């Protein structure tokens, strides 16, 4: 690696990076012995399944992870430090190696889970090689350790343009697809999956040249079972070769089989300690899903999970979020186990009880809202285990559109994650005016509680998708429902088998996060909401101001997650926040101003200012117009090209 690239801080993790402990001792100690064993086996299932994320990230990620595991199993960090210093590393270089290792474990791979940028070790490759090849692990297993290093050493450090971030084809790296797949291949594969009513969530796509020179595609399902004969299931009949639009598609299974075998083993063990029949049936369906490769079984498990109201030990597991698939429809493996935090859960219960009333405040016609608000669970949990590429502060699942519309969903706020997210050092508060900083530090935590609650429950939990089912029946009245943007009848809708992810594709996650964040900003102005969280008077006004200020600051921070060369965003939430900043800037009248300045280091900087006196008079109407347009476009489905254009029209931020 050249010295020039070595200095590019975008691709290294700084030595002073923060490390946070998620405290869950109190909640765990309150569990009964049976609940603890149940939580243990679910945790083991999650951790084993989390290894699939390495295989979903980059070709080298599994090898880097295995190499680090070998090193730290043979020597603890202090012993390894003594060895590294003896090999000529400085204290800073050894710290950089530890930070890199922590980054790999934290992101489950060598690309940031938030932003999808590659990170490399901040020390010379030759020095790291000396540490690895002279380690105790190398002495115990010389061929294995040398083989691992030879496989991943070059790629670990390489910052070739294509390797700097995740993407498809020439745009970046992905292991959801073989390296020769393009966006056109991904679109063709999605059309094929839709035609067979197959979900992309648990698939990967591999392309090779056929004997006739035409490409052949393998759609590989994640499952324990591979080619061996199996009991007939809904998946077995799909495992065959198809001709589709002049191309050959073969559906196979067995992806991640050894990993999923361990997942299933621990889910079976957990079943013996389940608290009720909902949990038993949920786990049985998850076992079926991971064994057979069936998303339908996972949906059935999710249905039992939704019905398991207010459990003491909460969990969810599977191929869940589609943020990191460059096409936007394949799910990354995720598994979490958590325990109820009773004090905050009481506030969320009150918010749920007020939800039907609050939904009426949202700025779209009643026909664009679900026919009945399916009262969800909304609990604050302390995380015991979170296996995946990163830990969010709140979750709204399941992501299956048909279940959310008809069966309901659950909201989870992760209390011990939020507690860590609050910690803000004054000197690291970029882009804010000095007179805003103390107020921001004081109210960021409480305002974030409010925003997460509204974002998950009433953001992701609101809005109706117009659907025509397989029998031709509509879930809306074609004659009377009018599009408020055009004044005309609804022209298009989702057909059976089509989903939000499959239709909105690359912008699906950003669009939905933008809608949820906007709902949070819009409804935090409601006095009833603030009362639920315990704020009134001047405190309530400060919470509103800091919530809006945090959003416009986040819009500026979001630019770090934009790649100008490819004109693309690398993180859905950050694209969403930038869009909201643009909407509020375009509202004008001095509501938000961003000013170019020079920082104390003499380099270009910026300051963002929000006029709190104009939040209600200018900001609220702007968000009202924006939210109405977002929901109106998303309820009926339109071709992806129209969506792309509409999204650009909506926020004019390209």
């Amino acid at each position: 690696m050249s010295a020039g690239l070595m200095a590019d801080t975008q691709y290294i993790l700084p030595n002073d990076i923060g490390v946070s402990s998620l405290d869950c001792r109190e909640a765990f100690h309150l569990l009964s012995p049976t609940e603890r064993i149940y939580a243990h086996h679910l945790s083991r299932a999650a951790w084993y399944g989390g290894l699939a994320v390495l295989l979903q990230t980059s070709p080298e990620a599994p090898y880097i992870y295995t190499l680090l595991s070998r090193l730290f199993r043979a020597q603890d960090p202090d012993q390894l430090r003594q060895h590294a210093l003896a090999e000529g590393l400085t204290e800073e270089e050894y710290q950089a190696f530890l930070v890199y290792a922590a980054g790999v474990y934290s992101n489950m791979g060598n690309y940031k889970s938030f932003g999808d940028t590659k990170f490399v070790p901040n020390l010379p490759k030759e020095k790291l090689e000396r540490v690895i090849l002279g380690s105790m692990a190398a002495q115990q297993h010389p061929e294995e350790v040398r083989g691992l290093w030879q496989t991943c050493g070059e790629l670990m450090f390489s910052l070739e343009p294509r390797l700097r971030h995740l993407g498809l084809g020439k745009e970046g790296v992905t292991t959801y697809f073989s390296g020769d797949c393009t966006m056109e291949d991904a679109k063709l594969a999605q059309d094929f999956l839709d035609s067979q009513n197959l979900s992309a969530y648990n698939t990967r796509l591999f392309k090779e040249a056929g004997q006739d020179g035409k490409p052949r595609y393998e759609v590989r399902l994640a499952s324990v079972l591979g080619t061996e004969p199996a009991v007939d299931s809904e998946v077995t009949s799909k495992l065959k070769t198809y001709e589709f639009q002049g191309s050959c598609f073969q559906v196979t299974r067995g992806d991640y089989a050894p990993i999923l075998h361990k997942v299933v083993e621990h889910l079976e063990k957990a079943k013996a300690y389940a608290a009720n029949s909902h949990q038993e049936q949920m786990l049985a369906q998850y076992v079926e899903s991971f064994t057979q490769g069936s998303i339908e079984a996972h949906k059935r498990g999710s249905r039992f999970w939704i019905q398991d109201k207010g459990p003491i030990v909460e969990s969810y597991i599977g191929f869940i979020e589609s943020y990191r698939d460059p096409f936007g429809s394949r799910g990354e493996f995720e598994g979490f186990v958590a325990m109820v935090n009773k004090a905050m859960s009481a506030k969320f219960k009150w918010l749920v009880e007020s939800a039907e009333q609050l939904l009426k405040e949202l700025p779209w016609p009643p026909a664009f809202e679900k026919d009945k608000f399916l009262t969800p669970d909304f609990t604050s949990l302390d995380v015991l285990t979170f296996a995946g590429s990163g830990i969010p502060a709140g979750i709204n699942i399941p992501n299956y559109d048909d279940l959310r519309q008809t069966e309901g969903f659950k909201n989870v706020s992760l209390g011990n994650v939020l507690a860590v997210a609050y910690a803000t050092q004054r000197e690291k508060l970029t882009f804010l005016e000095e007179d805003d900083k103390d107020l921001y530090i004081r109210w960021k935590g409480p305002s974030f509680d409010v925003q997460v609650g509204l974002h998950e429950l009433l953001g992701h939990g609101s809005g109706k998708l117009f659907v025509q089912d397989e029998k031709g029946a509509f879930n809306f009245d074609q004659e009377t429902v009018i599009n408020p943007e055009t004044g005309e009848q609804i022209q298009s809708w989702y057909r059976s088998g089509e989903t939000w992810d499959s239709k909105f594709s690359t912008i699906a996650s950003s669009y939905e996060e933008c809608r949820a964040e906007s709902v949070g900003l819009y409804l935090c102005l409601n006095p009833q909401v603030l009362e639920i969280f315990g704020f009134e008077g001047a405190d309530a006004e400060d919470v509103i101001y800091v919530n809006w200020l945090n959003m416009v600051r986040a819009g500026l921070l979001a630019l770090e997650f934009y790649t100008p060369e490819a004109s693309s965003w690398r993180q859905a939430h950050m694209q969403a926040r930038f869009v909201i900043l643009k909407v509020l800037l375009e509202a004008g009248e001095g509501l938000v101003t961003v000013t170019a300045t020079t920082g104390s280091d003499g380099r270009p900087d910026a300051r963002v200012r929000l006029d709190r006196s104009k939040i209600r008079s200018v900001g609220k109407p702007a968000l009202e117009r924006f939210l109405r347009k977002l929901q109106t476009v998303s309820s009926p489905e339109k071709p992806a090209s129209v969506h792309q254009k509409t999204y650009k029209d909506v926020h004019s931020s390209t």
Side-chain angles (χ1 to χ4, degrees):
M1 182 165 31
S2 73
L5 283 177
M6 195 74 180
D8 193 333
T9 55
Q10 189 179 346
Y11 304 107
I12 59 168
L13 303 175
N15 268 11
D16 64 350
I17 200 164
V19 175
S20 303
S21 295
L22 299 185
D23 190 345
C24 61
R25 284 169 295 191
E26 186 182 348
F28 188 75
H29 287 148
L30 291 172
L31 297 182
S32 71
T34 303
E35 289 162 350
R36 289 182 191 182
I37 300 171
Y38 179 69
H40 164 76
H41 285 300
L42 289 177
S43 295
R44 299 291 288 167
W47 287 128
Y48 276 118
L51 296 172
V53 177
L54 296 161
L55 297 159
Q56 294 179 302
T57 301
S58 69
E60 67 274 15
Y63 297 99
I64 296 171
Y65 180 92
T66 307
L67 181 59
L68 292 173
S69 297
R70 288 278 174 268
L71 290 177
F72 291 118
R73 278 187 180 157
Q75 290 168 283
D76 69 30
D78 282 338
Q79 293 169 327
L80 210 52
R81 175 176 167 272
Q82 294 303 326
H83 161 58
L85 296 180
E87 289 286 357
L89 272 71
T90 64
E91 290 279 7
E92 288 74 24
E93 287 167 339
Y94 182 63
Q95 175 71 8
F97 164 65
L98 286 184
V99 163
Y100 177 77
V104 170
Y105 290 133
S106 174
N107 293 281
M108 277 311 266
N110 57 331
Y111 286 75
K112 292 178 188 173
S113 68
F114 201 84
D116 295 341
T117 314
K118 187 173 187 178
F119 57 94
V120 299
N122 190 23
L123 69 157
K125 185 176 162 221
E126 306 71 40
K127 286 193 171 185
L128 182 55
E129 182 174 55
R130 285 210 300 274
V131 171
I132 289 167
L133 298 184
S135 68
M136 188 67 72
Q139 290 167 38
Q140 292 168 353
H141 305 283
E143 285 182 23
E144 185 188 357
V145 171
R146 184 173 289 278
L148 286 167
W149 174 248
Q150 284 171 346
T151 305
C152 69
E154 285 292 330
L155 284 168
M156 188 190 287
F157 280 86
S158 175
L159 283 173
E160 275 182 52
R162 182 173 160 261
L163 304 184
R164 292 178 191 179
H165 39 76
L166 300 180
L168 248 179
K170 293 174 183 169
E171 299 297 321
V173 171
T174 179
T175 47
Y176 286 104
F177 300 84
S178 53
D180 51 354
C181 284
T182 63
M183 193 57 82
E184 284 65 39
D185 295 314
K187 285 174 184 156
L188 178 66
Q190 187 63 57
D191 289 343
F192 164 71
L193 290 166
D194 287 345
S195 77
Q196 296 304 317
N197 211 7
L198 270 170
S199 168
Y201 269 127
N202 65 340
T203 69
R204 292 198 289 171
L205 185 71
F206 300 92
K207 174 182 167 186
E208 59 179 37
Q211 291 173 339
D212 55 1
K214 289 184 182 175
R216 290 176 60 87
Y217 298 96
E218 179 195 355
V219 174
R220 193 181 300 166
L221 309 179
S223 68
V224 176
L225 293 175
T227 54
E228 63 272 33
V231 181
D232 269 0
S233 75
E234 59 220 347
V235 177
T236 321
S237 61
K238 309 259 187 187
L239 301 174
K240 56 186 181 186
T241 303
Y242 302 78
E243 277 293 320
F244 181 76
Q245 293 186 10
S247 293
C248 178
F249 278 85
Q250 186 181 13
V251 178
T252 66
R253 66 179 172 188
D255 215 2
Y256 324 116
I259 290 169
L260 291 176
H261 178 74
K262 301 295 281 185
V263 173
V264 164
E265 183 186 315
H266 282 284
L267 291 178
E268 289 281 17
K269 288 179 177 174
K271 208 159 52 167
Y273 299 93
N276 55 50
S277 65
H278 287 315
Q279 290 181 0
E280 287 172 18
Q281 293 176 92
M282 165 188 89
L283 293 173
Q285 292 297 336
Y286 290 165
V287 165
E288 168 83 357
S289 172
F290 299 141
T291 303
Q292 300 282 352
S294 166
I295 288 295
E296 287 305 314
H298 195 268
K299 276 190 185 179
R300 290 194 293 271
S302 299
R303 196 170 274 125
F304 288 119
W305 177 72
I306 293 165
Q307 291 164 10
D308 183 29
K309 301 284 185 188
I312 303 299
V313 177
E314 182 61 283
S315 71
Y316 197 63
I317 189 168
F319 296 89
I320 317 252
E321 301 292 358
S322 52
Y323 297 125
R324 301 184 91 195
D325 166 16
F327 188 71
S329 61
R330 286 155 191 79
E332 184 172 74
F333 194 93
E334 187 176 282
F336 77 84
V337 184
M339 301 146 303
V340 172
N341 175 319
K342 289 179 180 166
M344 184 56 89
S345 293
K347 292 180 183 176
F348 288 147
K349 185 170 182 284
W350 189 4
L351 189 63
V352 168
E353 287 164 359
S354 311
E356 280 201 82
Q357 198 54 43
L358 292 169
L359 282 169
K360 292 173 185 170
E361 307 277 321
L362 291 173
W364 47 75
F368 284 73
E369 193 46 73
K370 293 186 180 73
D371 301 332
K372 184 178 187 318
F373 182 69
L374 298 154
T375 308
D377 252 17
F378 197 173
T379 43
S380 178
L381 304 173
D382 285 343
V383 174
L384 173 67
T385 298
F386 208 112
S389 63
I391 309 184
I395 313 171
N396 176 289
I397 36 183
N399 286 336
Y400 303 119
D401 298 329
D402 47 354
L403 288 194
R404 294 164 74 89
Q405 299 283 322
T406 58
E407 307 276 337
F409 51 89
K410 283 189 189 181
N411 292 281
V412 170
S413 174
L414 303 175
N416 53 349
V417 177
L418 282 166
V420 166
Y422 295 162
T424 305
Q425 293 173 291
R426 201 176 195 281
E427 60 275 15
K428 292 195 174 179
L429 271 183
T430 50
F431 304 137
L432 292 184
E433 301 284 1
E434 282 302 314
D435 55 2
D436 275 331
K437 288 184 178 179
D438 290 332
L439 199 68
Y440 183 91
I441 289 168
R442 166 75 184 85
W443 292 107
K444 183 194 171 195
S447 73
F448 202 34
D449 276 339
V450 175
Q451 179 68 11
V452 168
L454 294 171
H455 172 117
E456 300 297 346
L457 176 68
L458 298 162
H460 291 313
S462 65
K464 180 174 183 173
L465 300 184
F466 296 156
V467 179
Q468 182 181 21
D469 66 21
E470 63 276 7
K471 293 174 184 158
F474 292 89
N475 70 342
F476 67 102
D477 187 334
Q478 285 179 280
E479 300 299 317
T480 61
V481 176
I482 299 297
N483 180 330
E485 294 295 315
T486 64
E488 298 169 359
Q489 290 179 329
I490 300 301
Q491 303 292 320
S492 59
W493 45 84
Y494 295 81
R495 270 75 175 178
S496 174
E498 293 176 340
T499 66
W500 168 260
D501 279 327
S502 73
K503 298 311 294 182
F504 276 66
S505 176
T506 52
I507 63 164
S509 295
S510 300
Y511 198 108
E512 174 60 8
E513 293 305 334
C514 196
R515 202 178 65 91
E517 290 282 49
S518 299
V519 167
L521 280 192
Y522 187 76
L523 288 180
C524 83
L525 298 170
N526 186 302
Q528 185 187 353
V529 167
L530 296 162
E531 186 189 343
I532 288 169
F533 285 91
F535 307 117
E536 51 191 9
D539 286 355
E541 291 303 310
D542 284 343
V543 166
I544 292 168
Y545 174 61
V546 169
N547 196 30
W548 280 60
L549 181 64
N550 189 44
M551 188 62 70
V552 295
R553 175 176 181 257
L556 265 186
L557 290 169
L559 288 166
E560 185 185 335
F561 298 84
Y562 181 72
T563 305
E565 304 83 42
S567 301
S568 67
W569 289 87
R570 304 188 310 276
Q571 216 294 320
H573 295 81
M574 296 316 259
Q575 181 177 11
R577 289 161 190 164
F578 179 72
V579 170
I580 292 168
L581 170 63
K582 291 284 289 186
V583 167
L584 297 179
L585 280 168
E586 288 168 13
E589 298 186 50
L591 171 68
V592 176
T593 48
V594 179
T595 314
T597 62
T598 302
S600 55
D601 57 1
R603 297 169 69 182
D605 204 344
R607 284 282 175 275
V608 63
R609 186 176 275 285
L610 169 70
D611 186 338
R612 67 189 295 167
S613 71
K614 294 179 179 172
I615 289 175
R616 283 186 174 84
S617 59
V618 180
K620 187 180 180 186
L623 267 189
E624 192 169 297
R625 292 188 296 272
F626 180 53
L627 264 173
R628 186 180 301 117
K629 193 158 191 175
L630 280 178
Q631 182 58 41
T632 306
V633 170
S634 64
S635 283
E637 88 44 38
K638 296 188 179 183
S641 59
V642 178
H643 280 322
Q644 292 280 16
K645 180 179 184 307
T646 309
Y647 196 46
K648 289 170 184 175
D649 289 347
V650 165
H651 63 67
S652 61
S653 70
T654 49

